[in-house]
Structure formats: structure tokens, C-alpha cells
Amino acid sequence: MPQRSSPGKKDSDLAKLRIAVFASGRGSNLEAILRAIDRGRLDACVCAVISNRATAGALQIASRRRIPAYHLSQKQFPDQESFDAEVLSVLRKHDTNFIALAGYLKKLSPTIVRAYPNRILNIHPALLPAFGGKGMYGHHVHEAVLAYGCKVTGVTVHIVTEEYDAGPPVIQRCVEVRDDDTPETLAARVLRVEHRVYPQALQYFAEGRVRVEGRLVRILPAPEGR
Ligand code: GAR
């Protein structure tokens, strides 16, 4: 794992989950992660925020909180290799040992996925493998769920692998679809669940309670007294 000791940083800081959040949009999941940290429900820190969109709300949230924020888009680089090298260099600069994709709409390259094996999570606003894959993000997912006439949808937090939206789930939660739902009302209910489960999934990793056995992600019992 690309974790080095840095001058001026205590060992206890480096042992902690140091999360780089990748986000393309408004950043409400980033906000939920930061709130969970503030409230002591997530034992981690967000060491950097990276966005492919200069105007992403997530970058503004990071700046307000004085978290290093980077606009890094593939378009700024001549090829995939040099883009990946820059992303990895930013991640190393901040001793990142974990990545959380929070509404990041770009596929991570195999180089980045391999640099953080089983240390990258994504949140998806449906019950994967349904309503996942290319083009299935944000409101498109909720529109497709309603168009299909689903009675339930939900949230999936999963480990990121080289295949898009196909890594093993860490947490899945159901959300009921109501007859009078619109994509907006459904998205709002799903989002409330996202904001609860993403910090929870990250906390499982922070506590060292995650075992990945092939496609099965086992969450070990909490230590006594928690
Ligand atoms: C969230 O609903 C997240 O699940 C979704 O984008 C939204 C980002 O909102 N992600 C995907 O659809 C990924 N395929 P946010 O910027 O407010 O966190």
C-alpha cells in the first residue's frame, strides 16, 4: 500500500484511515463523511479531495474546511499514464491509505485500482448488480428504477475493482419505492440512506473488521466494549 512516513507526522496519524475522496458533483456524501468524523462516528481523516470537475461542490466543501483540494482531469494530461502518475503522486503526498469514491463519475484506471487493493470504496444509489454500469449514475439510476416499476431499490457500498460497478458489496440497504415517487423524491430518500451507510462502511475498515474472501466481504464482530 502506498503509505510512507512523512516528516512531521506522528505514527498514530499514519496508522489511521487517511481517505482521499474523489467526487464529481455537489459532495453531499463527502459532507456526510466529514460530519461522521466530526461526531466521532468515523475514526479517520479526509486527507485530500480530488475532482475531475473544477466547479464541483465537493471542491468547495474541501476548501472551506482547509482540506487539500485538487481539480485533476484526464483532459489536462496527454495520456492515461501521465494522469495516473499525477493522481498517485497527490495520493502519496498526503499519505493516502484509502480512497472513497463519492459521486465520482470517471472510471479509475487499473493502475490506480492496483495501487490500493481492497482499499477503494464506491457508493452507488441502487442495489447492484441491478441498475449499474456505464451511464448509470445519479438521476439516471432513479429514472430507470421507476421506469422498470421496481418496488424496492437501495444503496450499495462496494469495493472497487477493475470492472465498473462490479466489485463485492460491503453494505447494501433497501429503500422502498412508493407509487407516487418521482426520480427526485426517490433520490432524496436514497441519499439519506447513503449518508448513513457510507461512513459506516468506512468505519468497518477503520476498525480493521473487513475480510475479503473472493466475492464475500465479511464484517467481523465489533471488539468487546464497543
Ligand atoms: C450519489 O447519489 C451517489 O450514490 C451517486 O452520485 C450521487 C453523488 O451525490 N453515484 C453514482 O451514481 C455512481 N455511479 P453527492 O455528490 O451529493 O455525494
Side-chain angles (χ1 to χ4, degrees):
M1 192 188 314
Q3 184 175 313
R4 298 163 305 127
S5 52
S6 298
K9 287 200 181 111
K10 288 183 283 177
D11 283 353
S12 57
D13 288 343
L14 293 170
K16 217 171 152 143
L17 217 59
R18 294 180 57 81
I19 307 169
V21 175
F22 286 52
S24 302
R26 90 200 124 176
S28 73
N29 276 289
L30 166 65
E31 193 89 69
I33 290 167
L34 292 167
R35 211 176 313 126
I37 294 171
D38 291 345
R39 294 179 181 171
R41 285 190 285 112
L42 172 56
D43 186 20
C45 69
V46 173
C47 59
V49 172
I50 295 176
S51 182
N52 59 309
R53 282 188 46 229
T55 55
L59 288 180
Q60 290 163 24
I61 293 169
S63 302
R64 274 203 302 276
R65 291 198 174 231
R66 306 211 187 292
I67 296 167
Y70 296 86
H71 168 225
L72 286 178
S73 156
Q74 186 106 39
K75 294 181 197 138
Q76 302 157 329
F77 296 84
D79 51 31
Q80 181 77 48
E81 246 180 14
S82 47
F83 173 71
D84 287 348
E86 181 60 20
V87 171
L88 286 175
S89 136
V90 165
L91 295 175
R92 291 195 182 112
K93 179 173 173 198
H94 297 287
D95 294 304
T96 305
N97 57 23
F98 208 92
I99 296 173
L101 308 185
Y104 187 62
L105 302 181
K106 295 283 170 189
K107 187 175 185 289
L108 290 187
S109 76
T111 306
I112 304 206
V113 175
R114 284 176 204 157
Y116 288 86
N118 291 339
R119 302 287 286 177
I120 308 177
L121 290 186
N122 179 44
I123 188 153
H124 186 78
L127 294 173
L128 289 173
F131 304 106
K134 214 168 163 30
M136 277 293 175
Y137 60 87
H139 66 98
H140 298 291
V141 176
H142 305 298
E143 281 162 11
V145 164
L146 291 175
Y148 195 85
C150 289
K151 300 296 187 192
V152 286
T153 181
V155 175
T156 302
V157 179
H158 67 93
I159 291 176
V160 171
T161 56
E162 289 176 37
E163 210 184 324
Y164 200 68
D165 279 349
V170 177
I171 296 183
Q172 290 193 297
R173 290 281 181 276
C174 289
V175 174
E176 184 198 0
V177 179
R178 297 178 187 156
D179 290 351
D180 58 353
D181 261 330
T182 63
E184 292 73 30
T185 58
L186 184 56
R189 276 205 319 290
V190 169
L191 198 64
R192 280 202 292 278
V193 177
E194 292 185 44
H195 294 165
R196 279 205 308 274
V197 299
Y198 212 0
Q200 173 69 73
L202 290 163
Q203 179 62 10
Y204 289 150
F205 283 87
E207 292 173 348
R209 292 170 57 196
V210 179
R211 291 290 170 275
V212 184
E213 300 166 9
R215 282 207 62 86
L216 179 65
V217 177
R218 230 181 255 290
I219 309 301
L220 305 178
E224 294 275 326
R226 283 193 67 107

